[in-house]
Structure formats: C-alpha cells, structure tokens
C-alpha cells in the first residue's frame, strides 16, 4: 500500500472499553461498581474516550451497555463516548432510539461501534437469524442512518413499516465497524464508515488488514480512511519486573485465545512507544481494555495509561 494513502502521523486518541464481564462468584452490585470505578479512573486520567462492549446470554455476569452507559455518562467529560452494538441481535428502530437518547444526555461526541456478532448461542437466545446476519447487519446500518436523519423508514427484512423516531441526534453519530475477514473489510469501505481493528490482530496481521481496507477505500472513494481505530488489551505496569511476570501468567492462561504478540503489557515508556508505532501505521484512535484480572491492578493500569496519554500529548 502506498503510504500516501495513510494519514500523516499524529498523536493518537487514547480511550478505554471498560470490562463489563465478571466472575460468577462476584456479587452483582460489586461487579457493577467495578465497572463504575474503572470508568471513574478513566475520567480522572483524562482519557479521550469511553466505550462499553456488547454480549448476551452469558453464564457469567455481563453488565448490559445501554443502561450502564447511561449511568457512566453522568460523570464523563472526555471528548468521545459510545457503545458497541452487535447489530443483527438488536432491532434497528430500538437501537436508533436508545443511542439517540444516550447522545442527547452527553456533550461528548457519541460513536456507534458496530459488529456483526458471532456464536450461534447468542443468536438463538435472542431469536436472531444467524445465517443472514451479514445482510441484516448492512440493512440495520442503513435503517439507523435514515432514522437519525429524520426519515420515515420501511424495511421488509426487518419488518419495519413507516417507522420514525424522536429525538434524533443533535449531531451525526459516527460509525466504526469492527471487521477482520476480507469480505467484512470491503463492506466497511463500501458503506463509507471507519474501520475498528480487532484486538487479536498481531502487527503483521494489522498491516495486512490495513492495506486491504485502504486499497478498497481507494477503489470506492467513499470511506473514512483518515480515521482508523484499533482495540488493544493492555496492562500498563509499574515496573519491567511486574510486566514480565504478568506476561508469563497471561501466556500460560491462554488469555481470551489472543496471540500474546497482540497484547500490550509494559511500562509507561514501553506502552508509549507501542502506541506511537500504531499511530505510524495510521491508527488515529486506540481503545484499551485492561486485562489484569485484579480490580486494583487494573485501576492502577488505567491511572498509568493517563500518564502515557499525558506524555504523548506533551510531544
């Protein structure tokens, strides 16, 4: 890929996707408070963005993103916030209404991170069509854009007839689409949205997927290649010894099935260099998920991430 297709290297925006899943033995209120406390640490650390993920029909507690984000926005002053929505699992009219409401109660830019979803268990639990999820995903995006623009929408696939919503967002809601497979990357470019790279991609994979996406953007001439986001599972350690010890533990536990090379575990200066490398690859937004299983260690990692953010912006 010609480097001219990449945006000029700039200091990346740094945000957090707060962990919403906790062990079965965690008291429900304790787990919910841990989500709130991590978001508070991100606010105190002056991070740029705050996000929550999306998952359903789980055996372990998973705090649902719409009500939880409503709670968190009361104390969030960063420039950006948003939620991930696995669109084929949600009715698009309901999504349009709920996200418009969330966007109305914050002065921050509200972003939709959109995913197609995986795993038949989630789909069957919510009576969603797994085999047609790609088609339903695309049409859901089109419905959202139309509803947010104040249009009256009819759609046969989703059985929507003359739907309209109010309020509509005060400003456009940007859409970042999670995509890894070639067909999915081409869909992002074709639909004219921004790419959100998967946390499991190692550097060679990131470069490969980036080049495919940018080539398709060039061919389509319609997508937002000037903004690319990437999720990374992170721990900002207080020392190299702490970082090395955690790496051993994480590798032995096969953390989330993610290649250890895709994880970011290091000291403040090491993480700072890693993030600038991502920026040089063209990624404008880095969304972190703090991987340490211990809540207090994760909070300290978020606090140190604030120092990474401060150091980068002082350059």
């Amino acid at each position: 890929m010609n480097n001219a297709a990449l945006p000029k290297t700039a200091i990346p925006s740094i945000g957090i996707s707060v962990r919403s899943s906790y062990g079965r033995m965690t008291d429900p209120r304790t787990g919910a408070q841990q989500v709130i406390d991590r978001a508070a640490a991100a606010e105190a650390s002056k991070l740029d963005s705050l996000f929550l993920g999306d998952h359903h029909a789980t055996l372990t507690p998973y705090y649902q993103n719409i009500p939880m984000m409503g709670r968190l926005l009361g104390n969030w002053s960063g420039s950006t916030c948003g939620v991930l929505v696995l669109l084929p699992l949600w009715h698009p009219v309901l999504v349009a209404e709920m996200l418009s409401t969330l966007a109305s109660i914050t002065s921050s830019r509200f972003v939709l991170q959109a995913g197609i979803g995986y795993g038949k268990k989630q789909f069957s639990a919510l009576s969603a069509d797994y085999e047609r999820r790609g088609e339903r995903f695309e049409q859901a995006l089109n419905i959202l854009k139309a509803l947010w623009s104040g249009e009256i929408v009819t759609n046969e696939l989703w059985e929507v007839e003359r739907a309209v919503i109010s309020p509509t967002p005060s400003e456009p809601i940007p859409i970042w689409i999670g995509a890894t497979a070639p067909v999915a990357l081409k869909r992002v470019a074709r639909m004219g949205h921004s790419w959100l790279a998967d946390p499991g991609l190692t550097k060679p994979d990131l470069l490969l997927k980036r080049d495919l996406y940018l080539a398709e953007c060039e061919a389509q001439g319609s997508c937002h290649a000037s903004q690319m986001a990437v999720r990374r599972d992170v721990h900002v350690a207080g020392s190299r010894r702490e970082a090395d010890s955690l790496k051993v533990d994480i590798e032995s536990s096969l953390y989330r099935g993610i290649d250890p090379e895709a994880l970011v575990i290091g000291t403040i200066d090491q993480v700072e260099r890693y993030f600038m490398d991502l920026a040089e690859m063209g990624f404008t937004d880095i969304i972190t998920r703090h991987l340490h299983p211990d809540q207090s260690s994760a909070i300290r990692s978020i606090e140190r991430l604030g120092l990474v953010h401060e150091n980068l912006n002082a350059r």
Side-chain angles (χ1 to χ4, degrees):
M1 170 59 59
N2 187 336
N3 285 334
L6 294 171
K8 183 179 179 181
T9 300
I11 302 303
S13 169
I14 299 176
I16 183 173
S17 179
V18 179
R19 178 181 175 182
S20 296
S21 178
Y22 292 87
R24 289 190 207 184
M25 302 307 293
T26 303
D27 174 77
R29 288 195 175 99
T30 299
Q33 188 62 49
Q34 289 183 351
V35 175
I36 294 166
D37 289 347
R38 291 193 186 201
E43 164 73 17
S45 298
K46 299 182 179 179
L47 300 187
D48 298 308
S49 59
L50 171 71
F51 291 94
L52 291 174
D54 189 22
H55 201 52
H56 302 275
T58 61
L59 290 174
T60 55
Y62 194 97
Y63 296 93
Q64 292 302 305
N65 55 14
I66 302 299
M68 183 59 78
M69 182 55 76
R71 168 65 174 81
L72 300 182
L73 287 181
N75 297 298
W76 178 250
S77 63
S79 62
T80 302
C81 59
V83 292
L84 168 69
V85 179
L86 303 177
L87 284 178
L89 295 172
W90 296 69
H91 195 285
V93 177
L94 186 60
V95 173
E97 290 178 328
M98 290 193 296
L99 298 197
S100 185
T101 296
L102 287 176
S104 298
I105 61 176
T106 177
S107 58
S108 303
R109 179 184 65 148
F110 196 89
V111 173
L112 165 62
Q113 296 181 348
I116 193 171
Y118 63 91
K120 292 186 177 181
K121 179 183 175 183
Q122 285 191 95
F123 282 76
S124 60
L126 295 171
S127 300
D129 190 333
Y130 186 78
E131 301 304 326
R132 299 184 70 184
R133 66 192 189 281
E135 182 183 4
R136 292 172 73 83
F137 177 82
E138 287 199 31
Q139 293 204 26
L141 281 174
N142 291 332
I143 292 169
L144 290 176
K145 290 173 65 179
L147 290 172
W148 286 335
S149 297
E151 297 178 25
I152 299 173
V153 175
T154 295
N155 183 278
E156 183 178 349
L157 180 63
W158 279 100
E159 299 181 355
V160 173
E161 185 172 352
R162 296 189 58 78
V164 65
I165 70 163
S166 186
T168 55
S170 299
E171 56 191 29
I173 293 179
I175 298 173
W176 300 354
I177 299 180
T180 300
V183 65
L185 289 164
K186 291 180 179 181
R187 179 191 294 124
V188 180
R190 173 167 49 79
M191 298 193 75
H193 298 299
S194 298
W195 176 40
L196 174 61
D198 187 88
L201 295 174
T202 61
K203 182 175 181 178
D205 290 332
L206 272 176
L207 291 171
L208 181 67
K209 305 296 183 181
R210 179 206 68 181
D211 289 352
L212 176 58
Y213 168 66
L214 291 178
E216 194 65 23
C217 281
E218 193 172 322
Q220 296 288 339
S222 62
C223 67
H224 298 286
S226 61
Q227 181 173 46
M228 296 191 300
V230 59
R231 281 178 55 199
R232 296 283 90 172
D233 282 41
V234 169
H235 181 72
V236 188
S239 67
R240 296 201 175 201
R241 176 178 295 180
E242 178 191 341
D244 291 342
S245 176
L246 182 59
K247 285 179 183 178
V248 172
D249 293 342
I250 290 296
E251 288 182 17
S252 64
S253 67
L254 302 177
Y255 173 82
R256 292 180 178 265
I258 294 178
D259 187 325
E261 291 298 316
L263 302 175
V264 183
I265 301 173
T267 59
I268 291 170
D269 61 317
Q270 289 173 323
V271 173
E272 184 179 334
R273 288 195 296 271
Y274 188 101
F275 284 0
M276 281 310 300
D277 187 43
L278 289 173
E280 288 166 6
M281 292 165 61
F283 291 100
T284 57
D285 294 77
I286 301 170
I287 310 302
T288 62
R289 180 171 59 186
H290 291 258
L291 56 78
H292 203 294
D294 175 68
Q295 174 74 355
S296 60
S297 296
I299 293 291
R300 287 193 293 271
S301 174
I302 295 168
E303 293 169 347
R304 295 186 192 107
L305 183 65
L307 297 177
V308 172
H309 179 269
E310 183 180 326
N311 291 346
L312 288 175
N313 282 278
R315 288 188 172 215

